[in-house]
């Protein structure tokens, strides 16, 4: 397995969202069946309207995983006082399958960065067994101020087994003359 640290450390994902970990499972994320996610690459919001396909390339059908997608740069990277914003959560994904085989407990919300360049982080956690992960409670019906570390601790998920992130920023409208 490649050294996980470099892009996630340089991109600030390790530190802002998660602690350092050693990956044990490979994850492949694709938007619109042809746009693959690579650490630190930029994707335009117009490509992100539908949930991506997230493949778990490890484990077996008897192992289960939880996928979390967050934005640690809300509302803007220079002052992320709403860190993190939860965009999507799927639990009970069997190993060697993809997110469509899991249980979506927080529906997909497409990225809509308004200020600056935002990081969108996908984290994959291995569950101890099936149906043990509880949906997060949102006291104010908001997805803001979600904490991946706290969520993982409350559900006894430990450190992630895989992580990927991409950057995105607001698209400018074409100018009319």
């Amino acid at each position: 397995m490649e050294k996980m640290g470099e892009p996630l450390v340089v991109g600030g994902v390790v530190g802002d969202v998660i602690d350092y970990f050693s990956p044990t499972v490979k994850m492949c994320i694709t938007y619109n069946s042809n746009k693959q996610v690579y650490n630190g690459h930029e994707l335009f919001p117009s490509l992100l309207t539908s949930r991506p396909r997230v493949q778990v390339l490890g484990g077996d059908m008897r192992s289960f995983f939880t996928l979390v997608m967050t934005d640690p740069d809300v509302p803007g990277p220079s002052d992320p006082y709403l860190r993190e914003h939860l965009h999507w959560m799927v639990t009970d994904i069997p190993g060697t399958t993809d997110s469509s085989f899991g249980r979506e407990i927080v529906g997909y919300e497409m990225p809509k960065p308004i200020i600056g360049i935002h990081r969108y982080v996908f984290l994959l956690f291995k569950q101890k067994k099936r149906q043990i992960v509880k949906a997060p409670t949102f006291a104010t019906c908001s997805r803001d101020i979600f904490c991946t570390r706290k969520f993982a601790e409350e559900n006894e998920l430990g450190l992630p087994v895989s992580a990927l992130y991409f950057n995105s920023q607001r698209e400018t409208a074409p100018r009319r003359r």
Side-chain angles (χ1 to χ4, degrees):
M1 192 122 310
E2 72 177 64
K3 274 193 163 178
M4 127 345 177
E6 307 332 313
L8 296 172
V9 170
V10 171
V13 173
V14 169
D16 288 347
V17 180
I18 54 172
D19 296 323
Y20 191 87
F21 72 98
S22 294
T24 56
V25 173
K26 191 167 169 54
M27 174 172 54
C28 182
I29 302 169
T30 311
Y31 276 96
N32 301 324
S33 74
N34 67 349
K35 208 62 170 153
Q36 193 164 343
V37 173
Y38 296 101
N39 278 322
H41 287 213
E42 183 168 3
L43 296 176
F44 294 112
S46 58
L47 296 171
L48 311 172
T49 56
S50 301
R51 69 177 54 96
R53 179 174 186 222
V54 179
Q55 295 173 278
V56 177
L57 306 173
D60 58 40
M61 294 293 287
R62 295 180 312 264
S63 52
F64 296 95
F65 297 87
T66 292
L67 174 72
V68 175
M69 177 187 179
T70 72
D71 174 359
D73 300 316
V74 176
S78 61
D79 185 20
Y81 64 88
L82 296 175
R83 174 177 294 160
E84 302 160 47
H85 183 84
L86 180 62
H87 279 270
W88 191 32
M89 187 178 292
V90 182
T91 65
D92 299 332
I93 304 168
T96 72
T97 69
D98 66 51
S99 52
S100 68
F101 289 87
R103 188 170 59 102
E104 186 176 75
I105 60 174
V106 176
Y108 179 77
E109 181 181 276
M110 71 173 276
K112 297 178 204 152
I114 296 171
I115 303 166
I117 299 171
H118 288 239
R119 298 164 293 168
Y120 293 91
V121 182
F122 291 91
L123 300 148
L124 190 68
F125 295 91
K126 187 170 184 180
Q127 298 171 207
K128 291 185 178 184
K129 60 183 182 178
R130 195 168 181 221
Q131 296 181 340
I132 61 161
V133 177
K134 297 179 186 85
T137 54
F138 304 113
T140 59
C141 296
S142 172
R143 296 175 182 228
D144 291 331
I145 313 176
F146 176 78
C147 180
T148 300
R149 282 184 183 98
K150 185 176 178 191
F151 175 78
E153 183 182 314
E154 289 170 354
N155 286 281
E156 299 180 17
L157 295 172
L159 291 171
V161 294
S162 190
L164 279 170
Y165 84 99
F166 66 90
N167 295 314
S168 190
Q169 61 185 313
R170 185 175 173 190
E171 292 179 74
T172 55
R175 292 185 180 187
R176 296 186 180 176
R177 291 180 180 240

